[in-house]
């Protein structure tokens, strides 16, 4: 192995680690996160997520049905629902930006958003 082979290996490793660091830096979100609860397509409540928040339950009664949503410092989830299939309850907790959980029969959705961007990405 020559001196230039070693330099090439170090060069490739350096750029690979730089790429990993840059990608991690671009995808890490440090902005304030919010849970947005929508009923029938209209914003019902917007709650700031703070890791010091204790768990709280929000009951939503509409003409379509009854839901209980649990919001804590890390995310939100459907705790109870009177819909037939219970898919919204089985979905579990959402914790990352732009994750959504929806109860279609009751027309209730919860989504985590940040102030920075509403978009996942843009393609042309």
């Amino acid at each position: 192995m020559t001196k230039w082979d070693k330099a090439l290996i170090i060069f490739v490793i350096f750029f690979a680690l730089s790429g990993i660091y840059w990608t991690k830096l671009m995808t890490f979100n440090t902005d304030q996160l919010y849970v947005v609860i929508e009923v029938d397509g209209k914003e019902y409540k917007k709650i700031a997520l703070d890791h010091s928040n204790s768990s709280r339950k929000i009951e939503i009664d509409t003409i379509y049905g009854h839901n209980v949503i649990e919001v804590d410092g890390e995310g939100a989830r459907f705790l109870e629902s009177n819909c037939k299939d219970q898919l919204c309850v089985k979905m579990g907790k959402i914790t990352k930006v732009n994750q959504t959980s929806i109860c279609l029969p009751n027309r209730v959705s919860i989504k985590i958003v940040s102030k920075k961007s509403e978009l996942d990405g843009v393609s042309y």
Side-chain angles (χ1 to χ4, degrees), residues 79-106:
L79 196 60
E80 296 175 23
S81 179
N82 66 351
C83 63
K84 184 178 175 184
D85 53 10
Q86 298 286 307
L87 289 176
C88 55
V89 176
K90 293 175 186 171
M91 170 76 181
K93 184 188 282 187
I94 57 172
T95 59
K96 296 180 181 172
V97 175
N98 293 324
Q99 277 188 316
T100 303
S101 183
I102 301 172
C103 182
L104 282 177
N106 295 347

